[in-house]
Amino acid sequence: MIEQTLSIIKPDAVERNLETDIKEYFIKNKLKILKAKKVKISKEEASEFYRVHQTKPFYEDLCSYLSSGPIVVMVLEGENAILKNREVMGATDPMKAEEGTLRKMYGISIDKNSVHGSDSKENATTEINFFFK
Ligand code: CMP
């Protein structure tokens, strides 16, 4: 099934000029970049975006971090794009991510893990609408 999912290149990766390398890696892995823009969001917007995590102990730091610098938000499209993107990204914690995944290649820590991707069809719709409506 052809799906769309939201991907974010996080501040740590934008800061290290990894935008082009990461985009090329998605394309190489059959995830087409339908839309992309570089934005800087406020802490309030980050809090809204990550509201599913609002009860987590790391929520505050997560929202401060996502709003700390420019990010690149993208709509990726492809066969089973939601799962495919999660495979290409690898485990949330770069220390646990498999070889050949973006987080293994570029992630610094569980917070600075370089990329975000929607984790379900429902969240993909919500997250795409958040940035591209
Ligand atoms: P992301 O896929 O953007 O979704 C939520 C983010 O919270 C996650 O990547 C991590 O960067 C961050 N995070 C920080 N601490 C944790 C943790 N203990 N478990 C899961 N995610 C965490």
Side-chain angles (χ1 to χ4, degrees), residues 7 24 34 38 50 57 64 73 84 86 88 90 95 100 114 122 130:
S7 170
E24 283 175 359
L34 280 192
K38 191 182 274 184
Y50 272 135
S64 297
V73 292
K84 178 82 196 172
R86 292 176 65 75
V88 171
M95 300 289 284
S114 300
E122 192 189 349
F130 185 90

PDB file of all heavy atoms in Angstrom, residues 7 24 34 38 50 57 64 73 84 86 88 90 95 100 114 122 130:
ATOM      1  N   SER A   7       8.511  13.025   8.168  1.00  0.00           N
ATOM      2  CA  SER A   7       9.891  12.874   8.627  1.00  0.00           C
ATOM      3  C   SER A   7      10.417  14.243   9.043  1.00  0.00           C
ATOM      4  O   SER A   7      10.092  15.259   8.418  1.00  0.00           O
ATOM      5  CB  SER A   7      10.748  12.319   7.486  1.00  0.00           C
ATOM      6  OG  SER A   7      12.122  12.386   7.824  1.00  0.00           O
ATOM      7  N   GLU A  24      19.099  12.076   0.470  1.00  0.00           N
ATOM      8  CA  GLU A  24      19.539  11.102  -0.541  1.00  0.00           C
ATOM      9  C   GLU A  24      19.338   9.673  -0.042  1.00  0.00           C
ATOM     10  O   GLU A  24      19.019   8.780  -0.822  1.00  0.00           O
ATOM     11  CB  GLU A  24      21.020  11.343  -0.895  1.00  0.00           C
ATOM     12  CG  GLU A  24      21.184  12.533  -1.815  1.00  0.00           C
ATOM     13  CD  GLU A  24      22.644  12.900  -2.102  1.00  0.00           C
ATOM     14  OE1 GLU A  24      23.561  12.222  -1.566  1.00  0.00           O
ATOM     15  OE2 GLU A  24      22.845  13.872  -2.827  1.00  0.00           O
ATOM     16  N   LEU A  34       7.990  14.118  -1.136  1.00  0.00           N
ATOM     17  CA  LEU A  34       6.913  14.848  -1.816  1.00  0.00           C
ATOM     18  C   LEU A  34       6.951  16.329  -1.501  1.00  0.00           C
ATOM     19  O   LEU A  34       6.676  17.169  -2.344  1.00  0.00           O
ATOM     20  CB  LEU A  34       5.549  14.324  -1.352  1.00  0.00           C
ATOM     21  CG  LEU A  34       4.986  13.045  -1.927  1.00  0.00           C
ATOM     22  CD1 LEU A  34       3.528  12.913  -1.519  1.00  0.00           C
ATOM     23  CD2 LEU A  34       5.122  13.005  -3.434  1.00  0.00           C
ATOM     24  N   LYS A  38      12.361  23.919   5.394  1.00  0.00           N
ATOM     25  CA  LYS A  38      13.152  24.150   6.603  1.00  0.00           C
ATOM     26  C   LYS A  38      12.417  25.189   7.443  1.00  0.00           C
ATOM     27  O   LYS A  38      12.025  26.238   6.920  1.00  0.00           O
ATOM     28  CB  LYS A  38      14.548  24.655   6.226  1.00  0.00           C
ATOM     29  CG  LYS A  38      15.514  24.663   7.400  1.00  0.00           C
ATOM     30  CD  LYS A  38      16.868  25.219   7.010  1.00  0.00           C
ATOM     31  CE  LYS A  38      17.777  24.163   6.427  1.00  0.00           C
ATOM     32  NZ  LYS A  38      19.128  24.682   6.129  1.00  0.00           N
ATOM     33  N   TYR A  50       4.537  17.230  19.957  1.00  0.00           N
ATOM     34  CA  TYR A  50       4.913  16.034  20.729  1.00  0.00           C
ATOM     35  C   TYR A  50       3.929  15.749  21.876  1.00  0.00           C
ATOM     36  O   TYR A  50       4.308  15.071  22.829  1.00  0.00           O
ATOM     37  CB  TYR A  50       6.318  16.212  21.299  1.00  0.00           C
ATOM     38  CG  TYR A  50       7.465  15.767  20.403  1.00  0.00           C
ATOM     39  CD1 TYR A  50       8.586  16.568  20.241  1.00  0.00           C
ATOM     40  CD2 TYR A  50       7.450  14.530  19.748  1.00  0.00           C
ATOM     41  CE1 TYR A  50       9.664  16.152  19.451  1.00  0.00           C
ATOM     42  CE2 TYR A  50       8.516  14.117  18.960  1.00  0.00           C
ATOM     43  CZ  TYR A  50       9.611  14.925  18.816  1.00  0.00           C
ATOM     44  OH  TYR A  50      10.678  14.506  18.041  1.00  0.00           O
ATOM     45  N   PRO A  57       8.741  11.638  31.241  1.00  0.00           N
ATOM     46  CA  PRO A  57       9.701  12.470  31.983  1.00  0.00           C
ATOM     47  C   PRO A  57      10.604  13.310  31.079  1.00  0.00           C
ATOM     48  O   PRO A  57      11.090  14.350  31.506  1.00  0.00           O
ATOM     49  CB  PRO A  57      10.529  11.443  32.774  1.00  0.00           C
ATOM     50  CG  PRO A  57      10.276  10.123  32.131  1.00  0.00           C
ATOM     51  CD  PRO A  57       8.923  10.198  31.500  1.00  0.00           C
ATOM     52  N   SER A  64      12.036  21.472  24.213  1.00  0.00           N
ATOM     53  CA  SER A  64      13.084  22.512  24.157  1.00  0.00           C
ATOM     54  C   SER A  64      14.041  22.191  23.016  1.00  0.00           C
ATOM     55  O   SER A  64      14.437  23.067  22.257  1.00  0.00           O
ATOM     56  CB  SER A  64      13.892  22.552  25.459  1.00  0.00           C
ATOM     57  OG  SER A  64      13.054  22.890  26.513  1.00  0.00           O
ATOM     58  N   VAL A  73      11.317  19.557   7.706  1.00  0.00           N
ATOM     59  CA  VAL A  73      10.152  18.670   7.779  1.00  0.00           C
ATOM     60  C   VAL A  73       9.808  18.212   6.364  1.00  0.00           C
ATOM     61  O   VAL A  73       9.877  18.991   5.412  1.00  0.00           O
ATOM     62  CB  VAL A  73       8.938  19.352   8.461  1.00  0.00           C
ATOM     63  CG1 VAL A  73       9.218  19.589   9.928  1.00  0.00           C
ATOM     64  CG2 VAL A  73       8.569  20.660   7.792  1.00  0.00           C
ATOM     65  N   LYS A  84       8.539   1.522   6.587  1.00  0.00           N
ATOM     66  CA  LYS A  84       9.801   1.626   5.841  1.00  0.00           C
ATOM     67  C   LYS A  84      10.680   2.744   6.432  1.00  0.00           C
ATOM     68  O   LYS A  84      11.876   2.554   6.665  1.00  0.00           O
ATOM     69  CB  LYS A  84       9.480   1.925   4.369  1.00  0.00           C
ATOM     70  CG  LYS A  84      10.674   2.110   3.485  1.00  0.00           C
ATOM     71  CD  LYS A  84      11.220   0.777   3.044  1.00  0.00           C
ATOM     72  CE  LYS A  84      12.604   0.902   2.493  1.00  0.00           C
ATOM     73  NZ  LYS A  84      13.233  -0.369   2.237  1.00  0.00           N
ATOM     74  N   ARG A  86      10.589   3.913   9.420  1.00  0.00           N
ATOM     75  CA  ARG A  86      11.060   3.520  10.753  1.00  0.00           C
ATOM     76  C   ARG A  86      12.248   2.544  10.651  1.00  0.00           C
ATOM     77  O   ARG A  86      13.165   2.600  11.460  1.00  0.00           O
ATOM     78  CB  ARG A  86       9.913   2.938  11.575  1.00  0.00           C
ATOM     79  CG  ARG A  86       8.875   4.014  11.917  1.00  0.00           C
ATOM     80  CD  ARG A  86       7.683   3.477  12.645  1.00  0.00           C
ATOM     81  NE  ARG A  86       8.022   2.955  13.964  1.00  0.00           N
ATOM     82  CZ  ARG A  86       8.294   3.713  15.023  1.00  0.00           C
ATOM     83  NH1 ARG A  86       8.288   5.029  14.914  1.00  0.00           N
ATOM     84  NH2 ARG A  86       8.565   3.173  16.180  1.00  0.00           N
ATOM     85  N   VAL A  88      14.376   2.524   8.091  1.00  0.00           N
ATOM     86  CA  VAL A  88      15.512   3.317   7.597  1.00  0.00           C
ATOM     87  C   VAL A  88      16.117   4.157   8.732  1.00  0.00           C
ATOM     88  O   VAL A  88      17.335   4.326   8.812  1.00  0.00           O
ATOM     89  CB  VAL A  88      15.061   4.205   6.398  1.00  0.00           C
ATOM     90  CG1 VAL A  88      16.149   5.191   5.998  1.00  0.00           C
ATOM     91  CG2 VAL A  88      14.681   3.336   5.204  1.00  0.00           C
ATOM     92  N   GLY A  90      15.963   3.398  12.095  1.00  0.00           N
ATOM     93  CA  GLY A  90      16.546   2.541  13.128  1.00  0.00           C
ATOM     94  C   GLY A  90      15.991   2.864  14.510  1.00  0.00           C
ATOM     95  O   GLY A  90      15.142   3.745  14.662  1.00  0.00           O
ATOM     96  N   MET A  95      22.485   4.091  20.075  1.00  0.00           N
ATOM     97  CA  MET A  95      23.352   3.027  20.603  1.00  0.00           C
ATOM     98  C   MET A  95      22.784   1.634  20.292  1.00  0.00           C
ATOM     99  O   MET A  95      23.509   0.644  20.255  1.00  0.00           O
ATOM    100  CB  MET A  95      23.512   3.148  22.122  1.00  0.00           C
ATOM    101  CG  MET A  95      24.125   4.442  22.593  1.00  0.00           C
ATOM    102  SD  MET A  95      25.868   4.531  22.191  1.00  0.00           S
ATOM    103  CE  MET A  95      26.523   3.443  23.453  1.00  0.00           C
ATOM    104  N   GLY A 100      23.688   0.629   9.164  1.00  0.00           N
ATOM    105  CA  GLY A 100      22.992   1.000   7.928  1.00  0.00           C
ATOM    106  C   GLY A 100      21.734   1.808   8.158  1.00  0.00           C
ATOM    107  O   GLY A 100      21.035   2.142   7.205  1.00  0.00           O
ATOM    108  N   SER A 114      18.827  12.658  15.497  1.00  0.00           N
ATOM    109  CA  SER A 114      18.921  13.119  14.090  1.00  0.00           C
ATOM    110  C   SER A 114      17.634  13.145  13.279  1.00  0.00           C
ATOM    111  O   SER A 114      17.462  14.015  12.428  1.00  0.00           O
ATOM    112  CB  SER A 114      19.980  12.324  13.303  1.00  0.00           C
ATOM    113  OG  SER A 114      21.246  12.484  13.907  1.00  0.00           O
ATOM    114  N   GLU A 122      -2.328   6.840  11.870  1.00  0.00           N
ATOM    115  CA  GLU A 122      -3.070   7.942  12.492  1.00  0.00           C
ATOM    116  C   GLU A 122      -2.138   9.118  12.797  1.00  0.00           C
ATOM    117  O   GLU A 122      -2.443  10.272  12.482  1.00  0.00           O
ATOM    118  CB  GLU A 122      -3.704   7.421  13.790  1.00  0.00           C
ATOM    119  CG  GLU A 122      -4.716   8.357  14.373  1.00  0.00           C
ATOM    120  CD  GLU A 122      -5.150   7.925  15.764  1.00  0.00           C
ATOM    121  OE1 GLU A 122      -4.824   6.800  16.181  1.00  0.00           O
ATOM    122  OE2 GLU A 122      -5.798   8.754  16.433  1.00  0.00           O
ATOM    123  N   PHE A 130      -0.048  18.856  10.668  1.00  0.00           N
ATOM    124  CA  PHE A 130       0.556  19.836  11.581  1.00  0.00           C
ATOM    125  C   PHE A 130       1.489  20.782  10.813  1.00  0.00           C
ATOM    126  O   PHE A 130       1.487  21.993  11.038  1.00  0.00           O
ATOM    127  CB  PHE A 130       1.324  19.114  12.687  1.00  0.00           C
ATOM    128  CG  PHE A 130       1.885  20.029  13.733  1.00  0.00           C
ATOM    129  CD1 PHE A 130       1.138  20.365  14.855  1.00  0.00           C
ATOM    130  CD2 PHE A 130       3.169  20.559  13.605  1.00  0.00           C
ATOM    131  CE1 PHE A 130       1.650  21.228  15.817  1.00  0.00           C
ATOM    132  CE2 PHE A 130       3.678  21.416  14.567  1.00  0.00           C
ATOM    133  CZ  PHE A 130       2.922  21.735  15.679  1.00  0.00           C
TER     134      PHE A 130
END
